[in-house]
Amino acid sequence: MHNHNHQNSEPDYSTKKRSGEHKQHDNNTSQHHEHESHKNHGHKHHDHTEHHLQMIKDFRKRFWISLGLTLPILVLSPFIQNLLNYNFEFGFSKYLLFILSAFIYFYGGWPFITGLAEEFKKRQPGMMTLIAIAISVAFGYSTATTFGVEGDSFFWELASLIDIMLVGHWIEMKSVVNASGALKSLVELMPSEAHLLKNGDSEDIKVSRLKSGDLVLVRPGEKIPVDGIIEEGESNINESMVTGESKPVKKNRGDKVIGGTINGKSSVKVKVKGVGEDAYLNKVIKMVREAQNKKSKSQYLADKVAFWLTIAALVIGFGTLTTWLLIGKPFVFALERMASVMVITCPHALGLAVPLVVAISTSVSAKRGLLIRNRTAFENARKISVVVFDKTGTLTKGNFGVTRFGNFSKKTEDKEVIKLAASLESQSEHPLAEGILRKAREEKLNWDKAENFESISGKGIKGEVAGEKVKVVSPGYLKENNIKIPEGDFNDAQETVVFILKNENPLGFIALADEIRDEAFEAVETLKDNGLKLVMMTGDNKKVAKSVSEKLGLDDFYAELLPDQKLEKIKELQKNGEFICMTGDGINDAPALASADVGIAVGSGTDVAAETADIILVNSNPGDIASLIVFGQETYKKMIQNFIWASGYNIVAIPLAAGVLISAGIMISPALGAVLMSFSTVIVAINAQLLKKKMRTA
């Protein structure tokens, strides 16, 4: 682990070198294999997303066109005419019915026919195979009856089956957003251009053209374009999105910097060390991709059920045909029994069992501030045994704010302390300055301009305000100069305390910290009541981590971790049989979020964390994690109920369709099978709707 050399109660005003701090970082990153340049990731992501959107668009278009053609098919179908007791026939009506149905079969059914080919190629028959077989049997049998074979056509069943399956797949694809956006967000963090220095002049060139050893200029507020070493200048670098450290880090000549992090208020010249494949962020991208690919292979229960139903449909279907032929029944009779079996086995209900529940749970969850991007993870929320929290921005607010302030003199108002400090800090670029100035603005204070502003090496700042000598200093300065202050509670490990001196006399103090969110306390309590183990992993230093962990009453904490180390810890816990839910908000969390069984990003965090996660907490409220687990349990229950109904119905209906009880006068015709199938679908849909009620009360 790399060590941070600032004490938490001591503000890091020092100008000591911090190069040793990142040696571990070098070792860790060098262990990863080479990686493609981030330019290629952009193309791959773009292609992938385009393909995904095209598919959604395609299903939508096929559904609406097929639905439009289903209406005339229903009107022309003999079964529907008998059912509704009307007669609508003309010379070529049965051929028109055939033409419309043929169009729906080839146009609406095309994704399922090609899906069957794909599944056979992979030797994994599943839902697509089952749908394709059912629609093909329905189309083939109905076509045969149109052109002379004895029997009833069920083109209407073919059309409604295709409609339902198209809408099911469309809903399903919309509810599962592809996770590869994480790679795009990581790529976007890397600047595309850099200011290359040559013979004292700067030239803007593409980052991809930089070579190791080049010198680049990084101006204030810009992103550092590459991994490298500072050759000239010093600045505070905001590395929070990479290391999770809440304070910007002071960097001097000889210190290492990471591409994608943000420079503070001073220009620095950086010697290029890592570009393209060797860049630290690109190695993080690789970890994210590997973890995501692993996750995307998880098999859905629906596919397994569909696989066994496919086997059952084929075996029972052809078994039925063969059996009746061997008994000596006519081919037409045997074919009708086979068609009935095939049509009944096709899972209208199964095709909707998952998508409907997912669509409802995702929309209800979204209203409650939970955006679900990976439904497998959401269904698995019920299995969570350990919740891992990132600290900065998840359990804490993620920025340095004034937690308290006061004066040591009865003559001075408390706010005078903030006002004087703000006068000096307005000229400083120290991270603590921003917190003090923010407080001064909140209190609507007008501070004075400081004259003769100077930095006191490693211990604070000084200047003249309205003719008075004012200093903002660390506890170390008081100790060195033997300045006594009144007794007070200045030892909170989580706080950084500075003291204000006026003409060398202590006037007051200001305490700053990355505050714990109010909601975090409630969330920890709720999750503990649910019997979950709570762990914190942070890039911040041990003192701060220990303080936050103790205040919240967590079970364990790990501090000073880099992204790859967080990932290792997650894997370690998983090896011990734990089912991990990880929640975080920074790039430093991205690989761990992708690798955890359930990854939850806090909405206020970086796009990368959100893109890598399975679920996003829009309101950044850790308390929503408890709701998520309850929602996950309810959603899973509804799916299982729907599976049992959809499959259980088949267990009863298939033997009847095959003609097992024909001697007792019980036989299901293909048309009646279709009606029963529709009834089964309605029940599944109603059961899915009941989820709304359950989730509202959760």
Side-chain angles (χ1 to χ4, degrees):
M1 283 184 205
H2 66 290
N3 287 311
H4 297 260
N5 54 16
H6 62 264
Q7 294 292 310
N8 207 53
S9 55
E10 188 85 2
D12 182 20
Y13 284 113
S14 75
T15 52
K16 284 180 279 181
K17 283 193 181 177
R18 297 167 60 98
S19 54
E21 174 181 335
H22 289 287
K23 277 178 189 157
Q24 182 65 39
H25 164 208
D26 283 344
N27 297 338
N28 288 327
T29 56
S30 65
Q31 288 163 7
H32 295 293
H33 310 304
E34 64 169 13
H35 194 47
E36 294 165 27
S37 72
H38 65 265
K39 189 171 73 177
N40 291 340
H41 293 307
H43 290 314
K44 283 186 183 171
H45 167 81
H46 181 72
D47 294 345
H48 200 94
T49 311
E50 276 304 305
H51 174 66
H52 195 70
L53 293 171
Q54 282 302 118
M55 282 176 78
I56 292 174
K57 219 163 135 185
D58 186 53
F59 271 111
R60 186 175 61 212
K61 187 177 161 192
R62 285 177 197 272
F63 167 70
W64 287 115
I65 291 172
S66 299
L67 186 66
L69 291 175
T70 301
L71 298 172
I73 288 171
L74 292 175
V75 172
L76 293 168
S77 289
F79 175 79
I80 301 292
Q81 292 183 24
N82 291 339
L83 194 70
L84 301 177
N85 201 15
Y86 73 91
N87 187 27
F88 181 66
E89 270 187 88
F90 45 88
F92 59 93
S93 61
K94 68 175 184 177
Y95 300 112
L96 178 62
L97 183 58
F98 164 72
I99 291 163
L100 292 171
S101 303
F103 182 83
I104 283 195
Y105 172 70
F106 287 107
Y107 178 71
W110 189 247
F112 308 113
I113 297 164
T114 53
L116 173 141
E118 283 295 309
E119 288 180 351
F120 266 84
K121 214 184 278 175
K122 291 178 190 162
R123 295 186 184 163
Q124 289 175 333
M127 186 71 86
M128 291 298 198
T129 305
L130 196 47
I131 298 166
I133 287 172
I135 62 174
S136 298
V137 168
F139 180 67
Y141 178 77
S142 300
T143 302
T145 61
T146 304
F147 293 99
V149 174
E150 204 182 305
D152 298 322
S153 73
F154 42 105
F155 283 129
W156 73 274
E157 164 63 356
L158 164 81
S160 62
L161 177 52
I162 287 173
D163 291 346
I164 287 174
M165 289 306 160
L166 283 171
V167 81
H169 278 75
W170 174 24
I171 291 171
E172 190 172 10
M173 289 177 80
K174 274 182 77 175
S175 66
V176 185
V177 180
N178 203 290
S180 64
L183 304 177
K184 185 184 173 205
S185 300
L186 278 168
V187 168
E188 283 170 357
L189 283 167
M190 298 296 276
S192 56
E193 290 200 333
H195 314 303
L196 177 67
L197 290 171
K198 265 189 182 168
N199 309 323
D201 295 327
S202 97
E203 179 197 344
D204 288 356
I205 70 160
K206 293 261 179 249
V207 168
S208 52
R209 284 177 53 202
L210 289 173
K211 298 185 297 293
S212 193
D214 281 346
L215 195 64
V216 293
L217 174 69
V218 187
R219 298 189 176 113
E222 287 185 339
K223 283 183 181 176
I224 293 168
V226 284
D227 295 2
I229 306 281
I230 295 182
E231 281 285 296
E232 200 181 303
E234 58 177 58
S235 188
N236 288 302
I237 310 286
N238 180 350
E239 294 187 332
S240 62
M241 71 282 288
V242 175
T243 64
E245 165 107 37
S246 46
K247 291 182 189 176
V249 181
K250 182 88 171 174
K251 299 272 187 168
N252 306 294
R253 187 167 184 272
D255 287 346
K256 198 173 188 328
V257 290
I258 301 169
T261 56
I262 300 163
N263 187 20
K265 294 178 182 170
S266 304
S267 289
V268 285
K269 289 176 185 173
V270 175
K271 192 172 195 173
V272 177
K273 285 286 178 203
V275 286
E277 296 161 10
D278 302 320
Y280 184 67
L281 268 182
N282 275 340
K283 286 169 180 166
V284 175
I285 290 172
K286 187 176 183 192
M287 285 190 278
V288 172
R289 167 175 281 174
E290 282 170 356
Q292 279 181 347
N293 286 346
K294 203 165 110 193
K295 181 173 284 180
S296 65
K297 287 176 192 157
S298 58
Q299 277 292 310
Y300 296 132
L301 184 53
D303 278 339
K304 286 184 182 165
V305 176
F307 171 76
W308 289 112
L309 274 179
T310 306
I311 303 298
L314 293 171
V315 171
I316 298 168
F318 285 106
T320 302
L321 179 75
T322 312
T323 306
W324 286 118
L325 288 174
L326 289 174
I327 288 171
K329 289 281 183 185
F331 179 74
V332 170
F333 175 84
L335 184 66
E336 188 180 28
R337 292 299 91 231
M338 178 190 174
S340 298
V341 168
M342 295 294 209
V343 171
I344 279 176
T345 314
C346 183
H348 276 69
L350 192 62
L352 281 177
V354 178
L356 271 179
V357 172
V358 168
I360 289 164
S361 61
T362 44
S363 65
V364 175
S365 299
K367 284 174 191 156
R368 294 278 291 264
L370 297 164
L371 292 185
I372 295 158
R373 304 182 65 252
N374 177 333
R375 71 148 192 259
T376 317
F378 176 58
E379 291 156 29
N380 285 341
R382 70 191 193 287
K383 298 184 197 167
I384 294 166
S385 60
V386 176
V387 178
V388 175
F389 291 100
D390 167 47
K391 179 186 74 72
T392 313
T394 304
L395 293 172
T396 65
K397 290 178 181 172
N399 55 25
F400 260 73
V402 173
T403 45
R404 57 199 180 98
F405 60 93
N407 65 66
F408 303 135
S409 155
K410 293 279 186 308
K411 298 172 196 166
T412 319
E413 266 191 56
D414 281 357
K415 286 182 185 177
E416 183 66 22
V417 170
I418 295 281
K419 190 177 166 181
L420 276 175
S423 300
L424 284 187
E425 297 289 8
S426 64
Q427 306 213 13
S428 163
E429 61 159 81
H430 194 274
L432 299 182
E434 285 172 33
I436 292 171
L437 291 171
R438 197 164 48 244
K439 186 69 181 171
R441 285 187 204 105
E442 272 171 32
E443 299 285 350
K444 297 188 168 54
L445 301 175
N446 294 317
W447 57 85
D448 300 307
K449 194 174 186 311
E451 304 289 331
N452 304 324
F453 175 83
E454 259 181 76
S455 179
I456 308 165
S457 181
K459 297 285 179 256
I461 50 176
K462 64 179 181 178
E464 286 176 27
V465 181
E468 309 271 12
K469 287 185 176 168
V470 178
K471 290 179 182 173
V472 179
V473 294
S474 68
Y477 180 90
L478 301 182
K479 214 172 179 182
E480 266 178 34
N481 293 280
N482 212 11
I483 298 170
K484 296 276 180 284
I485 53 165
E487 285 295 308
D489 178 20
F490 303 124
N491 296 317
D492 185 336
Q494 206 196 330
E495 285 183 331
T496 296
V497 184
V498 292
F499 296 92
I500 289 79
L501 308 179
K502 195 172 177 182
N503 301 325
E504 291 301 308
N505 297 315
L507 184 76
F509 73 93
I510 300 172
L512 300 101
D514 181 7
E515 298 166 78
I516 296 176
R517 291 174 184 270
D518 297 337
E519 316 91 71
F521 292 95
E522 199 183 322
V524 166
E525 204 176 308
T526 312
L527 292 166
K528 279 198 152 181
D529 290 347
N530 277 302
L532 297 170
K533 190 178 168 196
L534 308 181
V535 175
M536 180 174 75
M537 290 186 193
T538 178
D540 218 338
N541 69 57
K542 267 189 185 159
K543 238 178 171 180
V544 176
K546 189 170 189 283
S547 163
V548 172
S549 178
E550 284 171 359
K551 278 185 183 170
L552 285 168
L554 303 178
D555 296 301
D556 206 351
F557 74 92
Y558 302 95
E560 299 171 9
L561 299 180
L562 281 157
D564 43 357
Q565 293 168 321
K566 279 192 181 184
L567 181 62
E568 285 312 310
K569 286 277 175 229
I570 295 279
K571 284 181 177 169
E572 211 174 285
L573 288 166
Q574 285 170 328
K575 267 184 202 152
N576 297 336
E578 302 288 7
F579 200 85
I580 308 293
C581 166
M582 165 81 192
T583 143
D585 76 329
I587 296 165
N588 57 316
D589 305 315
L593 281 171
S595 192
D597 300 291
V598 180
I600 301 176
V602 176
S604 58
T606 62
D607 289 348
V608 180
E611 287 288 358
T612 319
D614 304 304
I615 293 142
I616 299 162
L617 300 186
V618 181
N619 306 322
S620 307
N621 181 353
D624 288 338
I625 297 166
S627 310
L628 167 82
I629 292 168
V630 176
F631 285 7
Q633 285 167 344
E634 290 303 330
T635 300
Y636 184 75
K637 269 188 218 160
K638 278 282 168 258
M639 283 187 185
I640 294 302
Q641 286 165 7
N642 279 357
F643 277 139
I644 290 168
W645 175 258
S647 309
Y649 152 84
N650 278 310
I651 292 163
V652 176
I654 290 171
L656 294 179
V660 170
L661 296 179
I662 204 159
S663 56
I666 299 169
M667 187 176 80
I668 297 180
S669 69
L672 180 59
V675 172
L676 289 175
M677 194 76 236
S678 305
F679 177 63
S680 162
T681 308
V682 170
I683 288 177
V684 165
I686 291 169
N687 191 37
Q689 291 297 327
L690 294 174
L691 182 66
K692 281 185 184 171
K693 198 176 169 197
K694 275 275 189 192
M695 286 171 78
R696 276 196 203 105
T697 55

